[in-house]
Amino acid sequence: MGQALIAIRRQADGITTVEMRGELDVGSVQALRAVLADVVTKHRPQRLDVDLKYVTFMDSVGVGALVAAHTVARDAGTVLAVTNPGPFVRRLLHTLGLCETFGVPDCAVDFSGSAPTA
């Protein structure tokens, strides 16, 4: 089971960023669920960015936490977006058809991090 660090940054423009570091799995998902729910219900940002740049692994419970947070955010009038997913996370979101849901641009990359060629 992995461990993860979570940092929260609230900005004056109404955007709050929750940054994850480490593994997002059964060992760390409860902390993420709690933080995301707390941010949405108590702070009500216009937009909540979940920055996954430093997430090294994510399994189905991690995806489930993001989907649940997306639903809570939507119901509260907050836009939730996943930002900076690395190749592993991007591939997982692409495979599950969740890139559009989470606002991940250029989801059709070749998963090595470079843009597709024509």
Side-chain angles (χ1 to χ4, degrees):
M1 286 191 244
Q3 292 187 344
L5 298 173
I6 303 171
I8 303 168
R9 292 186 312 271
R10 290 189 295 169
Q11 300 168 283
D13 61 2
I15 298 175
T16 297
T17 301
V18 173
E19 180 183 283
M20 287 288 306
R21 291 177 177 259
E23 298 179 357
L24 185 49
D25 60 13
V26 72
S28 60
V29 74
Q30 285 306 105
L32 178 64
R33 281 182 182 266
V35 166
L36 294 176
D38 188 61
V39 167
V40 169
T41 58
K42 291 183 180 174
H43 303 290
R44 297 213 179 249
Q46 294 174 3
R47 179 179 165 113
L48 174 58
D49 288 347
V50 182
D51 188 340
L52 301 181
K53 182 176 184 176
Y54 299 107
V55 169
T56 56
F57 175 80
M58 182 169 69
D59 65 10
S60 62
V61 295
V63 173
L66 292 176
V67 170
H70 181 270
T71 301
V72 170
R74 184 194 62 219
D75 292 348
T78 296
V79 174
L80 183 141
V82 169
T83 61
N84 302 314
F88 180 86
V89 174
R90 182 179 294 273
R91 182 178 317 128
L92 182 59
L93 295 177
H94 174 77
T95 300
L96 296 172
L98 292 171
C99 288
E100 186 175 330
T101 300
F102 293 127
V104 178
D106 301 325
C107 201
V109 297
D110 68 5
F111 303 119
S112 66
S114 60
T117 56

